[in-house]
Amino acid sequence: MNKIKIIVDSSVDLTEEIYQKYDIDVLPLNINFDTESYLDGVNITTEMLFKKVKEKGKLPRTSACSPFIISETFKKYIDQGMDIIFLGLSSTFSSNFQNAFIAKSEFPDDRIFLIDSRSLSSGTGLLVLKAAKLAEENKSAKEIADEIEKIVPNVVAQFTIEELEYLHKGGRCSGASEIFGRLFNIKPYVKVIDGQMIVYKKPRGSMKDAIDEQLKDVKKSLDKIDQSTVIITHSLIDDDLLEYTKNKLSKMVD
């Protein structure tokens, strides 16, 4: 049986330590500010990204990896006798999956397996970690793909947005809604379910109040949640808020 190579795009948001531990290859997405172009995680960090957003007063445009870049990456590992599992941003949010499908057409069907995560960030990251652990159990690429496909519909990614400014800049709320949200201190609680991003609740108050609202839902669903891996993802929140979340969540899970 061939060795397995897992390839992801940079939207997965796992740590460099995890990528190295499981020998995962990461394809960087493109981040564009007008005429300035960057490769996610290569020549721009999260800190740099937020700084540029503040400076320019708008969000960047992102673009997928080209079919050529993906094909070249596939070829590198196929030539080494490896079979490939590819996971990344949901096809509903990016053309990256479609570009990977185009690149895959150049190779034998039984060597490359594409999985549409129908999620983003840590939602996809959980699938990647599961795939990596199955590879460690010497499962074949097809066995891994079949198992992950079964899990995809059960993945629910959720997050809270501290500032409606970012939704407004991204075109996801009107100026009036942003002002209304600021007045009533609304912290939208968003869920990604089956490739669709929805505002699930609109808690009012502090970020701790919004996080508590999320954790209430987690607690209600604990009997349905695979607790083997828990991921907390954030975008430069304060350390005390991160510790608050960790402590409350750790008391809930085994």
Side-chain angles (χ1 to χ4, degrees), residues 227-245:
Q227 299 180 36
S228 60
T229 304
V230 177
I231 299 177
I232 300 172
T233 304
H234 65 90
S235 297
L236 307 181
I237 63 170
D238 293 336
D239 288 343
D240 64 333
L241 190 56
L242 179 58
E243 286 304 313
Y244 175 83
T245 307

Side-chain angles (χ1 to χ4, degrees), residues 71-116:
S71 176
E72 287 293 294
T73 304
F74 285 173
K75 185 177 186 303
K76 178 170 67 173
Y77 296 112
I78 291 293
D79 287 349
Q80 294 176 36
M82 297 181 179
D83 291 341
I84 293 170
I85 299 285
F86 176 86
L87 272 153
L89 191 59
S90 169
S91 62
T92 57
F93 298 133
S94 170
S95 61
N96 217 46
F97 184 81
Q98 181 61 33
N99 289 352
F101 187 81
I102 293 169
K104 177 184 183 296
S105 66
E106 302 175 19
F107 304 93
D109 275 346
D110 62 348
R111 301 294 305 281
I112 301 174
F113 295 84
L114 311 181
I115 303 170
D116 187 350

